[in-house]
Amino acid sequence: MAQIHYTSINQVVEVQDEFSSILDTSIEHKIPHLHECGGNGRCTTCRIRVISGHQNLSPRNMLEKQAAHLRKWDPSVRLACQCHVKGDVQIQRLVWSSAEVNKLQLETIPEGEAEERNIAILFCDLRNFTRITSQHMAFDMAHMLNRFYTVLGDPILINNGIIYQYVGDEIIGIFGTGGGTRQQNCMDAIRAGLGMQYAIERLNRFELKDFDTTFKIGIGINFGRAYIGHLGHPKHRQFTIVGDPINVTSRIQACNKEFQTNILLSEQVVRGLPENTLEIRSIFEKQLEGKDQIYKLYELKGFTEPDMNLELQSSLDYILKNEEEFAKKFYDKVFKKAPAVRGLFGRDMVAQGRLLMHMLGGIVYSLSRPELLKMGLRSLGKSHEKYGVKPEYYPVVRDCLIETIQEEMGPDYTEQLGSAWNQALGFITAEMTNWRVAEPAG
Ligand code: HEM
Ligand code: FES
């Protein structure tokens, strides 16, 4: 029987049969392996590097050839969901976390030339940076800045954006390098901005109180056409964005100081969204530095209706903080409410819990790529039918999950959050159980 050696965790497992892909084998052995599109050859998150045993893998099929060509992969990179194993191989998984998935967009950006794309741009500035640096020791400052970059970078990544640059006290996020409509890209940037505001409040409340400091941020968001590409010396090409919308965004951000605001949007962004999506606190008119015309700037308060994606994102920290404990609490509840399902699971509930949490975190990240997510959920649904999971078990799982989230979040849990999870789990269940409707036989 052929064996796969996962080198980074030094685990060797047997492949069930010649029809099992490498991804099937990872799932069977409960080895976390990202597969956003559910093994359909579309997302490339399951990619692996083959260390040895290339000759024992099935050749690249059409889907894999297309991905490899577009992304300029060398022959050692393979899609785990598309290749089958005929003899022993040694492999490494290449994408480790959902946060890394956005970076994959960069692979489709041209080398040495630039292409024009419609993108939303977000500038976030740490407003009191100079005063804070003068008040703290370099060591404390480095720690605080690291935390600042992490908590403010996450909302960019979770909303399908890429972190373009850190410039001193500023973070720049870009949305839409991989495509997407104006509405999607603007919504992603706005969610990121609101997520950053929430993250900074939490950072101030919980982590920085011992430093006697509070961070204040100003955010500017704009939308426009800019040139993107990997430019520079042939030996040192860098992802680069060039265009007027970038400079304009920087100037919009700078207006936060004058207007005493936190998040300012350009008219391009507001016009890109359906009417009444946003709650706007005030509108300013301003001639931006170096520009002749007057710009309308909108101070963002939030969404008019609770936004499911943003609510789910805000609870992710609590859920993933202590994954194993969370999963254990959750499964205990499920087995108490529906003892019959215990028999469907294997013995290793710790590994099972890890996979579930991996998948839940991944689902929240993938909400901004709904087409891939739907594909992934349908495949997960198909496997669940094979595991013996009946549709009536899904509401039990939904209720137990929401109860566990409520317990973990304590006083930070809100009705709004509960209803967002309810809505999300309704969507997940519908996709997992309706895959036959989505994929009629034949
Ligand atoms: C919210 C929806 C659900 C999600 C996101 C989810 C997620 C997962 C994941 C990621 C796995 C690992 C294997 C794989 O990727 O195929 C898995 C396995 C499994 N799930 Fe779910 N699941 C859900 C609902 C349910 C429900 C309602 C049940 C039934 C009570 C269930 C029972 C199982 C069983 C029996 C396995 C296989 C365990 C084994 O092989 O030992 N799941 N699930
Ligand atoms: S390409 Fe393999 S899981 Fe999406």
Side-chain angles (χ1 to χ4, degrees):
M1 182 102 44
Q3 291 188 327
I4 304 179
H5 180 189
Y6 293 76
T7 54
S8 44
I9 47 171
N10 200 15
Q11 189 174 342
V12 180
V13 299
E14 294 210 330
V15 181
Q16 202 179 35
D17 54 45
E18 61 192 287
F19 305 107
S20 302
S21 68
I22 293 188
L23 180 66
D24 292 334
T25 311
S26 300
I27 293 173
E28 199 206 327
H29 292 275
K30 300 198 191 306
I31 295 174
H33 198 147
L34 275 177
H35 53 289
E36 194 171 56
C37 74
N40 287 295
R42 308 279 171 188
C43 66
T44 80
T45 58
C46 65
R47 62 181 66 185
I48 49 162
R49 183 174 300 286
V50 182
I51 313 292
S52 69
H54 299 262
Q55 69 286 0
N56 293 330
L57 291 177
S58 58
R60 279 180 174 155
N61 62 15
M62 198 44 102
L63 273 174
E64 227 192 315
K65 276 186 188 154
Q66 280 167 353
H69 176 71
L70 181 70
R71 294 163 191 272
K72 300 172 203 75
W73 286 344
D74 66 66
S76 69
V77 179
R78 300 292 312 262
L79 283 183
C81 67
Q82 301 298 310
C83 58
H84 297 81
V85 188
K86 293 177 284 183
D88 295 355
V89 283
Q90 276 199 319
I91 63 154
Q92 253 176 359
R93 287 156 296 161
L94 289 178
V95 187
W96 285 88
S97 71
S98 303
E100 281 177 67
V101 172
N102 291 319
K103 272 202 236 144
L104 308 183
Q105 298 179 42
L106 293 182
E107 290 176 331
T108 61
I109 290 170
E111 287 281 335
E113 53 186 288
E115 263 180 19
E116 215 182 2
R117 301 233 173 131
N118 288 319
I119 52 172
I121 307 135
L122 177 154
F123 271 64
C124 172
D125 174 68
L126 180 55
R127 271 203 243 159
N128 39 352
F129 180 75
T130 322
R131 191 170 52 75
I132 294 176
T133 25
S134 63
Q135 285 170 349
H136 289 89
M137 314 234 310
F139 180 78
D140 287 350
M141 199 55 221
H143 170 77
M144 283 195 277
L145 269 185
N146 255 337
R147 291 296 299 141
F148 169 78
Y149 286 142
T150 310
V151 302
L152 293 185
D154 283 347
I156 295 178
L157 299 177
I158 206 169
N159 285 296
N160 209 20
I162 51 173
I163 298 171
Y164 174 48
Q165 269 177 5
Y166 295 111
V167 191
D169 48 355
E170 214 164 47
I171 296 185
I172 307 172
I174 305 289
F175 303 81
T177 44
T181 63
R182 174 177 182 180
Q183 183 175 328
Q184 277 165 348
N185 298 341
C186 289
M187 278 298 269
D188 281 339
I190 288 173
R191 285 194 183 109
L194 291 168
M196 285 167 140
Q197 201 172 36
Y198 173 79
I200 212 79
E201 278 161 22
R202 266 175 62 82
L203 188 72
N204 284 335
R205 188 149 54 109
F206 295 115
E207 291 186 43
L208 295 183
K209 56 183 195 308
D210 296 339
F211 288 99
D212 208 13
T213 287
T214 48
F215 278 160
K216 289 197 183 70
I217 52 172
I219 294 172
I221 304 177
N222 187 18
F223 174 84
R225 286 180 79 72
Y227 284 91
I228 61 178
H230 285 105
L231 306 178
H233 187 280
K235 296 250 181 289
H236 185 75
R237 293 212 197 282
Q238 262 186 329
F239 172 57
T240 312
I241 308 176
V242 197
D244 196 46
I246 307 286
N247 312 330
V248 170
T249 319
S250 164
R251 289 182 191 139
I252 294 174
Q253 188 293 116
C255 293
N256 280 302
K257 203 169 168 195
E258 177 185 339
F259 298 137
Q260 294 286 302
T261 48
N262 295 322
I263 305 183
L264 285 172
L265 311 178
S266 70
E267 196 164 8
Q268 291 294 326
V269 172
V270 175
R271 287 233 193 116
L273 303 178
E275 240 175 88
N276 299 327
T277 306
L278 302 176
E279 205 175 331
I280 299 294
R281 195 176 275 129
S282 35
I283 304 177
F284 304 93
E285 294 203 340
K286 170 91 182 160
Q287 182 173 6
L288 297 178
E289 201 191 310
K291 297 279 161 195
D292 295 332
Q293 78 261 44
I294 303 287
Y295 282 77
K296 259 192 184 165
L297 302 181
Y298 297 76
E299 183 191 3
L300 178 69
K301 190 168 172 212
F303 288 109
T304 44
E305 298 286 330
D307 180 69
M308 183 184 80
N309 294 27
L310 199 58
E311 291 288 337
L312 301 190
Q313 291 168 14
S314 70
S315 60
L316 205 56
D317 274 355
Y318 294 89
I319 296 175
L320 299 182
K321 199 170 56 190
N322 199 341
E323 293 180 334
E324 278 180 22
E325 204 177 290
F326 183 99
K328 181 172 180 331
K329 267 193 196 165
F330 160 72
Y331 282 118
D332 285 349
K333 282 185 199 296
V334 173
F335 297 153
K336 203 163 162 202
K337 271 200 185 144
V341 304
R342 179 65 187 93
L344 303 179
F345 288 89
R347 297 203 311 146
D348 189 352
M349 287 311 289
V350 174
Q352 171 63 28
R354 238 179 271 133
L355 280 196
L356 175 82
M357 301 311 287
H358 197 240
M359 179 59 89
L360 277 181
I363 288 175
V364 176
Y365 270 82
S366 306
L367 282 169
S368 49
R369 292 180 288 273
E371 286 318 308
L372 289 178
L373 176 60
K374 281 184 189 170
M375 229 185 247
L377 289 173
R378 284 177 212 144
S379 299
L380 190 65
K382 266 189 222 172
S383 326
H384 275 65
E385 197 173 83
K386 285 193 215 127
Y387 302 147
V389 175
K390 301 204 180 84
E392 59 266 31
Y393 296 152
Y394 282 89
V396 176
V397 159
R398 179 196 58 204
D399 293 348
C400 294
L401 206 55
I402 293 177
E403 268 174 38
T404 318
I405 294 172
Q406 186 166 6
E407 280 169 24
E408 284 300 289
M409 292 190 68
D412 288 335
Y413 178 87
T414 60
E415 286 301 314
Q416 220 161 282
L417 182 75
S419 113
W421 270 104
N422 206 11
Q423 194 186 338
L425 289 164
F427 162 76
I428 293 170
T429 303
E431 292 303 326
M432 284 177 73
T433 50
N434 291 346
W435 53 269
R436 273 208 190 79
V437 181
E439 277 172 35

